[in-house]
Amino acid sequence: LDWWQADRYCEQRFAQLLFEPQDGEQGSLSKLLQSHHIGGSVWLKERDSVLHKTKRRRGHTVPVLLFGDKTDTKYVKVLSDFPALPAVTACAHVQWDTRSQEVATIFSYAVPAFINEFQLRGCVDEEGFVRFALIVHGHHSPYLPVFRADGQWHHFCVTWQQENGTWAIYADGKRRATASGLCSVGPSAPQAIFGQGTFIIGQDQDSLGGTFRAKESFSGNITDLHIWQKVLSTEQIEKVRSCRVLEQDLVFGWSSNALEVESTVQTVTTQLLCPGPVEECRVLEVGSSGFSYASCLQTLPFICHYSKDAYWQLKRAQLESSHSLASCVNSLAVRTVIPDSVFTTGVQDMNLSVALDVLDILATVLRGGEVPVLEPSDLLAVLRLLSQVSHIEIQEGDELEMLEQLGQYFMEIAELILEEQNTGTWSSISQVTRGPMAVVELCDRMVSLLVPLLTPERTKITIQYGNIGLRRVAVKNMWFGYGSLQRSLPSSSTTAVSQDTAASDGGQKYLSTTVGTAVISSTLLSDLQEISTSVRYRLQHRVNFCVLSLFLLHVSPDAGGMWSTAGCSVVTSLPDSTACFCNHTTHFAILLQLYEQERTTTEEFTLQTLTFVGCGVSFCALTVTFILFLVVRVPKSERTTVHKNLIFALAAGEALLMFSELAKTNQVLCFMVTAFLHLFFMAAFSWMLVEGLLLWSKVVAVNMSEDRRMKFYYVTGWGLPVLIVGVTLATSFNKYVAANHCWLSVQTNVIWAFVGPVLCILAVNTFVLLRVVMVAVASARRRSKMLTPNSSLENQIGTQIWATAKPVLVLLPVLGLTWVCGILVHLSIVWAYVFVVLNSLQGLYIFLVYAIYNSEVRNAIQRMKDKKKA
């Protein structure tokens, strides 16, 4: 099927067209498909476009010129008077004959003064691309690739203007080439394209209106040629590609009555499908496991994807179904409207007449209460049927009274399936559908079918049943009363709220969300197409409340809809209503969010200030300590070497941390800052581990030479962090950085690449500290007995307390054990302050203990003073 048909096929079966696999999944997916004998190209749905509504194709019946093989006789003459053209745009749909490699003339325009006045030529290159070249006043542009020679229909436009001879070539809505200088040179240059010439399709004119040569003729099919005496903008070319004619400045519009067709050129009438803006769709190349794009109109294999939970809910609905609704409806319709399986569709030949009969029967059954409570399979069948109806194509000649009645039945059924007794049924298929919000989307599609009802005499349509209604004018409005959706929505619809909107604002912790108003929809129409514009609206609250959060709904096929505040703001908020402004149109509602008070803005600011000031002081202290170790020539030893590496890593990490906020705006810079923060803080903890291992070697005898120990320490201190960061980047490159700041992402669990090793290091160092304390206390007890055997009990206890406290005070910061306070942060804001102060001032503590009160440093300074005096 083509991409749109494939997408709809999956949707009708409550599945999704296979999404583009994540990094690293392509190979395994490709092998899986090959094991099922699936090869070549397979349709995909792009992940980054799931929030955008795919434009629907437009059917356009046009005469098509079939030129067949290259000859010197086949031509079509345009019967139109051409004025002088200081600017021009020519657009058409073309189907290229891929059998010929020779140059082909798509059209040529000649005037008595100049035969090659305006011409478009093309050829197929060795790489399989069709190349176009534009000729104006005899000046020839280079042949440039515009689209693949795949035998499919392609849309092209060429533009030229007199000023500077600027030209451009567009293909399938994209600008493929542009340049200037395609004009005459000299005192009279540049000149407009002369008027009153002869325009020939399919041949190169070597004389005015004749003398054709077979090798330069066109072979293939062409249709929908239009010519304007101006340069169209990219947006206007997009409209033309979607089969919408722009009347302003149109010189020639495509019509068989305005063509003189040579007798051997065939003319057929066909329906051209215009795909709209999205013409190239994503495909997976199964053999190579790579991605590419293909024309959405191609027929390719596809795969429908179910989540596990959705699939098992469907299976359960299938197994537990009594088929009561299906029996009633099918017997009244005397045909299969609702199939026995939830994985198949019932009505295959859906059109306006069939849709009206089917909905009439379904509304009768639901209205009569023959099935008081819908089963999950019944509800799914109704939703699928409504989806089919909302996708029907309205044909010319269809009776408009039938269309309006169809809208009435559609709204009635939508209201009936949202009744309170079906609340439990909606919950039982929550993984399959978007819940009642699926009905919102279906009604929105249905409204778009009512376009033919609008006339100059009838500018407004209103259809309402119960709590649901729609109104259609140049603006499409729709509303769902509070009761119609609220009773079917879960009370804590946290999964439908995007993470950024459900997060705490610094002073509150998010608990749950509930719809507090009706849901409305507003869409502006232009040329029968939906466009977005700013809108103001006021929503009445169901109950009086003052604390509000504002959201609009985006319908997301895979996530099931998502509430977001993007582009919307509150104008005024009263206890009974809220006025809002949004810079676009979509579905709107007011959600009431419940919060638990957590940290206030003042507390957050205090913590940030303490962190910045503490890191600044710590960085300065570490820098001074490092310089002292280098300048005063402290005797070289294992301990000083380990100290210097720890100080360097910690100082580098804290310097980056202080200025990491400045890198948030630059994605590449933020990524680099995050990687180096990860590396330096990981290195700092690794050297803290080395400090613990060094201490252990002093307390417990270790049979290893000093050189071997230092090599081991360097591998642990720098090699381990580099390995951890490298593996993390290799496995989680696209999930590495958090969304709102330059640090590891918490949402994707990448944070465990830091937290996991840190917890292990803290556990080892805690064990080392306990062992050191035990040795210190035992040593102090022995020394006390030897030196002061008759001391009092109080003195002995004091000695032991100091023997315990001294190693704890000295070793806590250097072993990183102050980070253990982080576990207690969630208990109270006080612990948060303690944690920030202790760790922000870790550098200052190291400066005091290992520089100011370090006997080796003081002795080295004293030696320097003595040497200077000497």
Side-chain angles (χ1 to χ4, degrees), residues 719-837:
L720 184 62
V722 169
L723 178 65
I724 291 172
V725 173
V727 171
T728 307
L729 287 173
T731 56
S732 306
F733 189 83
N734 294 326
K735 313 170 190 175
Y736 190 66
V737 183
N740 300 318
H741 49 275
C742 301
W743 183 234
L744 303 179
S745 175
V746 178
Q747 285 79 15
T748 57
N749 294 324
V750 174
I751 190 66
W752 286 102
F754 176 73
V755 174
V758 165
L759 289 176
C760 293
I761 291 169
L762 293 179
V764 172
N765 283 354
T766 301
F767 178 76
V768 170
L769 181 62
L770 290 174
R771 179 64 175 159
V772 169
V773 169
M774 289 169 62
V775 171
V777 170
S779 177
R781 187 183 296 118
R782 287 195 302 270
R783 189 182 300 110
S784 175
K785 288 181 179 180
M786 290 174 60
L787 298 177
T788 55
N790 299 321
S791 62
S792 63
L793 180 61
E794 290 81 359
N795 288 337
Q796 291 180 16
I797 293 173
T799 302
Q800 291 184 20
I801 290 174
W802 174 242
T804 304
K806 184 178 179 180
V808 170
L809 292 173
V810 172
L811 297 176
L812 264 179
V814 79
L815 295 181
L817 297 179
T818 52
W819 286 72
V820 176
C821 296
I823 300 172
L824 307 174
V825 162
H826 71 284
L827 298 177
S828 169
I829 188 64
V830 175
W831 281 110
Y833 290 140
V834 171
F835 175 70
V836 168
V837 170

Side-chain angles (χ1 to χ4, degrees), residues 607-647:
L607 287 172
Q608 289 177 2
T609 304
L610 285 173
T611 301
F612 188 82
V613 172
C615 283
V617 173
S618 183
F619 174 74
C620 294
L622 289 168
T623 304
V624 171
T625 307
F626 190 77
I627 293 171
L628 278 174
F629 273 107
L630 294 177
V631 173
V632 302
R633 298 177 184 175
V634 176
K636 188 176 181 181
S637 66
E638 282 184 325
R639 188 173 59 177
T640 56
T641 302
V642 172
H643 288 346
K644 282 190 285 187
N645 280 278
L646 171 59
I647 290 166

Side-chain angles (χ1 to χ4, degrees), residues 65-358:
L65 301 177
L66 311 180
F67 281 87
D69 297 329
K70 296 168 75 73
T71 69
D72 59 0
T73 58
K74 294 181 180 180
Y75 75 93
V76 175
K77 182 180 179 181
V78 174
L79 304 177
S80 181
D81 292 330
F82 286 84
L85 299 171
V88 64
T89 299
C91 298
H93 282 86
V94 65
Q95 195 173 27
W96 203 268
D97 183 359
T98 58
R99 297 171 298 172
S100 174
Q101 301 291 321
E102 296 179 325
V103 171
T105 304
I106 300 163
F107 63 75
S108 63
Y109 176 74
V111 295
F114 219 122
I115 298 302
N116 294 328
E117 182 67 358
F118 180 43
Q119 190 175 128
L120 181 65
R121 301 160 72 96
C123 64
V124 179
D125 64 16
E126 295 177 352
E127 297 177 355
F129 280 92
V130 175
R131 291 174 173 263
F132 277 1
L134 188 63
I135 302 174
V136 179
H137 300 319
H139 295 273
H140 204 300
S141 77
Y143 282 94
L144 298 168
V146 289
F147 54 80
R148 284 198 172 275
D150 52 12
Q152 302 293 322
W153 280 103
H154 292 277
H155 182 261
F156 74 85
C157 288
V158 293
T159 68
W160 177 88
Q161 58 184 344
Q162 178 180 339
E163 185 179 355
N164 298 324
T166 303
W167 59 275
I169 299 177
Y170 294 80
D172 298 323
K174 297 179 180 179
R175 187 166 63 186
R176 306 296 185 180
T178 183
S180 59
L182 198 63
C183 57
S184 302
V185 294
S188 61
Q191 295 179 336
I193 294 174
F194 292 111
Q196 306 307 312
T198 301
F199 196 104
I200 299 292
I201 301 172
Q203 292 286 359
D204 176 21
Q205 305 174 59
D206 285 342
S207 63
L208 188 63
T211 315
F212 307 136
R213 290 189 291 181
K215 68 176 184 178
E216 294 181 343
S217 65
F218 174 73
S219 61
N221 306 322
I222 191 168
T223 187
D224 221 25
L225 174 67
H226 293 80
I227 302 169
W228 293 265
Q229 55 181 345
K230 69 174 183 179
V231 173
L232 296 185
S233 66
T234 304
E235 291 77 15
Q236 290 172 321
I237 288 174
E238 191 62 54
K239 288 185 178 181
V240 173
R241 191 170 77 98
S242 300
C243 304
R244 296 199 290 273
V245 179
L246 305 178
E247 300 291 346
Q248 187 176 3
D249 297 315
L250 184 66
V251 176
F252 170 72
W254 188 248
S255 171
S256 56
N257 297 327
L259 299 174
E260 178 186 297
V261 183
E262 193 269 333
S263 58
T264 58
V265 177
Q266 290 182 281
T267 304
V268 298
T269 300
T270 188
Q271 187 179 52
L272 189 67
L273 292 177
C274 307
V278 182
E279 198 275 338
E280 288 186 332
C281 296
R282 196 70 156 161
V283 294
L284 170 68
E285 304 295 346
V286 176
S288 62
S289 302
F291 301 117
S292 63
Y293 287 91
S295 170
C296 299
L297 296 176
Q298 282 186 253
T299 54
L300 294 176
F302 64 95
I303 297 168
C304 296
H305 172 261
Y306 293 92
S307 69
K308 287 184 179 179
D309 292 338
Y311 182 79
W312 288 116
Q313 278 194 354
L314 284 169
K315 292 290 286 184
R316 192 178 302 113
Q318 171 74 26
L319 293 172
E320 296 174 356
S321 175
S322 63
H323 307 295
S324 54
L325 180 67
S327 301
C328 294
V329 173
N330 293 342
S331 61
L332 282 175
V334 199
R335 62 179 297 177
T336 302
V337 173
I338 299 178
D340 292 336
S341 173
V342 296
F343 295 97
T344 59
T345 54
V347 183
Q348 302 298 328
D349 53 344
M350 185 70 75
N351 56 41
L352 179 59
S353 177
V354 172
L356 186 62
D357 291 340
V358 167

Side-chain angles (χ1 to χ4, degrees), residues 480-496:
F480 284 74
Y482 172 84
S484 64
L485 289 177
Q486 179 60 38
R487 59 188 171 225
S488 302
L489 284 168
S491 59
S492 57
S493 54
T494 55
T495 56

